[in-house]
Amino acid sequence: MIHLKKVLKHFSATLLIAVLFSGSIFSTSKAEEEAGPAFAPPVVKSTVPEAGPGMNLRSDCVVVLDPGHGKTDGHYSGCHFEYNGVTYYEDIITMKIANYTKEYLEKNSNYTVYLTKDSSEVTVPLDQRASFAASVHADLFVSLHVDSIAGNGTTRNAYGASSMSPRTGRFNDGIALQSQEAANTILNQLTSLGLHNRGLILQDSKNGTLYPDGSTADYYAIPRYSQMYGIRGFIIEHGYINYISDLTLFLSTDDQLKALGEADAKGIIEYLNKAGKSTFVPAKQGPGAPASN
Ligand SMILES: [Zn+2]
């Protein structure tokens, strides 16, 4: 069951979709980045709100921010870590970062900014998030996450920000290149705060999923769906929740999360200033029709 709730704030169009659904598809912290059907459903209709006072939907950029994870069956599905008696949850952190990013973008640009949900208490299926981003012709679709590594991040020396992006040199190559450039621009902004830059993580499908032209599909769902829809889309991981200095310097207070959100926003503005709107070309075969697997 899906409920869509439209909320208009100030004079800019703001659509928050709250999607409630039953059933659990994510059970571990990494699952969300990886899980989901091979391809998201075809876009059947646009959910862009009707133009109204102050809206300028045609001439300015559209940004869709996707706060990673959310509650499923009463439990947060993202990673979490307890430190000094406080438990930190990825689901809550990504929701806060997304709101700070949105706030900064709305103050400092004329972009139309959408979140894929308005609460860390809900989880939206990955294919629906991408389908939504495509339906509003997102010029940038950014899924916000926090990393973790099994065991102890500090002893494993896993720290810093990274991006799961689509690989270039195959299906929708131009869009993949643009996604990588946008991701790198955001990573550079995060690095300026002091986060280590782990760079782009490009990974191929592990089960033989192919794009319509027969080339190997990307492994992570958000870049894979984005490539299928022909939109710029990727994941940004904002440091490791279980690496102590990442946690204490970047992820443990609202001020720190605000700094991350604003760095994301500055990277988004920097990229879109340079690249402009995306030329949206709907996938010819429809994302619902993978070539195989
Ligand atoms: Zn995550």
Side-chain angles (χ1 to χ4, degrees):
M1 167 103 42
I2 299 167
H3 303 281
L4 295 178
K5 182 176 66 178
K6 292 185 178 180
V7 180
L8 294 178
K9 277 186 183 171
H10 310 296
F11 289 104
S12 65
T14 303
L15 176 62
L16 302 171
I17 58 169
V19 181
L20 307 173
F21 79 110
S22 57
S24 169
I25 57 171
F26 315 124
S27 56
T28 66
S29 63
K30 273 293 178 190
E32 175 157 311
E33 286 89 331
E34 300 165 2
F39 296 112
V43 176
V44 290
K45 69 183 176 84
S46 171
T47 55
V48 177
E50 294 297 315
M55 291 186 187
N56 191 9
L57 298 180
R58 302 222 175 261
S59 64
D60 241 310
C61 291
V62 176
V63 175
V64 175
L65 303 170
D66 174 40
H69 305 277
K71 248 182 194 169
T72 301
D73 290 342
H75 301 285
Y76 289 121
S77 64
C79 59
H80 64 271
F81 186 65
E82 186 182 334
Y83 182 68
N84 279 349
V86 179
T87 303
Y88 299 89
Y89 294 93
E90 178 182 10
D91 321 64
I92 295 173
I93 290 171
T94 58
M95 194 70 230
K96 287 185 175 180
I97 294 173
N99 277 319
Y100 286 127
T101 304
K102 179 172 175 289
E103 195 178 297
Y104 188 93
L105 288 175
E106 289 182 340
K107 270 188 196 152
N108 297 283
S109 76
N110 292 318
Y111 304 159
T112 302
V113 184
Y114 302 97
L115 302 190
T116 54
K117 63 176 184 176
D118 61 3
S119 167
S120 57
E121 299 298 299
V122 299
T123 299
V124 181
L126 287 161
D127 53 344
Q128 286 183 22
R129 306 180 206 189
S131 162
F132 170 74
S135 76
V136 298
H137 296 189
D139 296 298
L140 215 47
F141 173 38
V142 187
S143 188
L144 310 171
H145 286 262
V146 171
D147 229 328
S148 73
I149 191 165
N152 186 318
T154 299
T155 55
R156 301 280 296 276
N157 234 17
Y159 55 91
S162 61
S163 171
M164 285 85 165
S165 291
R167 197 185 287 279
T168 54
R170 56 192 185 198
F171 183 70
N172 258 343
D173 176 62
I175 294 292
L177 184 62
Q178 292 170 40
S179 292
Q180 290 191 6
E181 286 173 0
N184 276 323
T185 306
I186 293 172
L187 287 177
N188 285 337
Q189 287 288 343
L190 290 168
T191 304
S192 74
L193 298 178
L195 264 173
H196 173 65
N197 188 348
R198 298 171 65 85
L200 304 181
I201 296 172
L202 312 175
Q203 208 166 120
D204 290 341
S205 167
K206 294 174 180 172
N207 65 1
T209 299
L210 302 177
Y211 284 128
D213 66 353
S215 61
T216 300
D218 289 283
Y219 173 64
Y220 295 105
I222 293 296
R224 183 173 72 247
Y225 296 152
S226 297
Q227 282 297 97
M228 286 299 299
Y229 283 124
I231 59 176
R232 303 162 176 151
F234 48 86
I235 290 167
I236 294 285
E237 299 275 0
H238 298 76
Y240 278 72
I241 202 167
N242 58 349
Y243 188 79
I244 301 305
S245 67
D246 273 7
L247 175 68
T248 57
L249 295 176
F250 301 103
L251 298 168
S252 55
T253 71
D254 283 357
D255 281 348
Q256 292 168 355
L257 300 179
K258 187 176 184 184
L260 293 178
E262 293 190 352
D264 287 344
K266 288 173 188 171
I268 289 168
I269 291 172
E270 185 184 336
Y271 176 74
L272 290 176
N273 272 347
K274 189 181 69 175
K277 288 185 73 66
S278 175
T279 306
F280 182 76
V281 182
K284 282 177 187 163
Q285 297 188 21
S292 69
N293 294 297

